[in-house]
Amino acid sequence: MRAYVPTGKAHSGGPHVVLAELPQPRPRPDEALIKVEAYSVNRGETFKLEEPGASWRPGKDVAGLVVQQAADGSGPEAGRRVVGHPAGGGWAEYAAVPSSALAELPDSVNTVRAAALPLAGLTALRLLRAAGPVGGRRVLLTGASGGVGHYVTELAAAAGAHLTAVSATPERGVRLRELGARDVVADVADAGGDEPYDLVLESTGGGALPVALAKLRRGGTLVWFGQASRTPVTLDFFDFFQGPESATLRHFHYADFPESYADDLAALVRLVADGRLHPELGRVTDWSETAATLVDLRDRRIRGNAVLTVS
Ligand SMILES: NC(=O)c1ccc[n+]([C@@H]2O[C@H](COP(=O)([O-])OP(=O)(O)OC[C@H]3O[C@@H](n4cnc5c(N)ncnc54)[C@H](OP(=O)(O)O)[C@@H]3O)[C@@H](O)[C@H]2O)c1
């Protein structure tokens, strides 16, 4: 089968990945074999591609057809359409995916939309679970125009949050407002006016995090879920006394939850099928465009999710 493998050349400006001929995966007893029809690429994967491990292959978001059910009898049967979240290896014609990371798709959810769900959707769902009730709360979201950000915006707004979205690209604010953002600002420094936030969901790091933190109310919470800028954060203890005194700063990793991916993927699929969650497909293209798409994702030229279709 054909599959993308990392080149390790990303630092020197070369392509992150090349298409290679590999043996078809041999699933473990708890894994189904999926014929991949579409996959999505994520910013976090662009980071990992810069220093890929020896046997690691990218691809955590797939949608397609079960061609072989898991040998232990778990999970969807052969012939079912599914969305899956394997640990890797998904940018390929075939992928082995644990039953615990698979959800079936109804006819109303096609594989292109489904492929945009796993990493970004699971992160958004779990981020809000970690943050607690947002109804009636003032929420500040950075990196809002990305894959995770669109889902967080729609889910938080539906739950009654007053959400301010930060996106450097003003035209991206139109869709974020349609999804329920009350305000959209191009710079986190411009968020909120004089009114503090109850909750900050921060994913850019660098200089943005301290600025966002300063906008929290006393005792508020900042959930830190990413560092898109790749720049570490410097905090000053004494700045907390200017407003966010006794604030909580919580580190977040979407994989660190007791629920199975399968259950949460099924919840996301239901929300899409019910018209309550709308995958934002900033790019849908043939998988031959994977390397170019990764560069565009890295350089902030893609809104929402990028989905590649396997031809
Ligand atoms: N902790 C976890 O478990 C977890 C899971 C998934 C993802 N993540 C992280 O969450 C973040 C969002 O993921 P994603 O897949 O949604 O990424 P994405 O689609 O690339 O979206 C990130 C957004 O952040 C903004 N951005 C990008 N580079 C930036 C920079 N240098 N400075 C400021 N803003 C920048 C961009 O918006 P504008 O250009 O419009 O401003 C972009 O749309 C990433 O940092 C990712 O690594 C964490």
Side-chain angles (χ1 to χ4, degrees):
M1 70 161 189
R2 291 171 299 163
Y4 276 101
V5 295
T7 60
K9 289 184 191 157
H11 271 314
S12 54
H16 294 78
V17 288
V18 287
L19 205 52
E21 192 64 39
L22 295 182
Q24 199 164 294
R26 277 195 287 169
R28 296 189 319 244
D30 66 327
E31 290 177 332
L33 185 64
I34 310 300
K35 185 175 189 304
V36 180
E37 292 176 5
Y39 57 80
S40 66
V41 297
N42 298 282
R43 178 166 293 272
E45 289 171 302
T46 66
F47 299 161
K48 188 151 185 200
L49 281 165
E50 292 178 4
E51 288 176 38
S55 59
W56 176 77
R57 282 202 291 118
K60 296 165 79 78
D61 293 352
V62 300
L65 197 68
V66 177
V67 289
Q68 185 184 310
Q69 186 182 13
D72 65 8
S74 63
E77 295 170 3
R80 303 289 185 169
R81 294 168 58 252
V82 291
V83 58
H85 188 54
W91 301 353
E93 288 176 303
Y94 292 90
V97 185
S99 301
S100 61
L102 279 174
E104 283 190 37
L105 297 175
D107 290 345
S108 60
V109 180
N110 66 28
T111 42
V112 169
R113 285 203 299 160
L117 282 175
L119 181 56
L122 289 167
T123 300
L125 192 70
R126 293 176 170 195
L127 192 60
L128 290 170
R129 194 174 289 156
V134 293
R137 297 181 81 201
R138 285 175 55 81
V139 179
L140 175 59
L141 172 67
T142 60
S145 72
V148 177
H150 279 89
Y151 290 132
V152 170
T153 298
E154 188 168 17
L155 291 172
H162 177 135
L163 184 132
T164 301
V166 183
S167 167
T169 319
E171 57 270 25
R172 295 181 179 174
V174 174
R175 182 62 180 145
L176 291 166
R177 281 183 205 278
E178 283 172 4
L179 291 173
R182 288 278 195 94
D183 311 302
V184 182
V185 294
D187 189 324
V188 67
D190 298 331
D194 291 337
E195 249 191 286
Y197 289 92
D198 301 296
L199 173 68
V200 172
L201 303 172
E202 211 295 305
S203 67
T204 53
L209 189 146
V211 174
L213 180 75
K215 292 178 178 288
L216 270 183
R217 66 164 166 78
R218 188 176 181 282
T221 299
L222 183 150
V223 186
W224 189 9
F225 70 101
Q227 194 159 287
S229 68
R230 311 297 296 275
T231 308
V233 170
T234 303
L235 290 178
D236 186 331
F237 177 84
F238 296 100
D239 284 348
F240 285 76
F241 294 109
Q242 307 305 314
E245 190 170 344
S246 304
T248 298
L249 195 159
R250 176 173 173 175
H251 180 258
F252 171 91
H253 183 210
Y254 84 104
D256 191 20
F257 280 75
E259 296 86 356
S260 77
Y261 291 140
D263 286 347
D264 280 345
L265 278 175
L268 291 165
V269 169
R270 275 197 303 277
L271 286 167
V272 175
D274 292 350
R276 290 191 288 157
L277 189 66
H278 297 83
E280 194 59 32
L281 304 178
R283 179 166 308 174
V284 179
T285 188
D286 185 79
W287 71 324
S288 57
E289 297 295 318
T290 298
T293 302
L294 289 169
V295 172
D296 285 345
L297 181 66
R298 183 196 63 196
D299 295 344
R300 302 167 74 166
R301 288 193 286 267
I302 295 178
R303 186 175 57 86
N305 286 104
V307 173
L308 291 303
T309 54
V310 179
S311 50

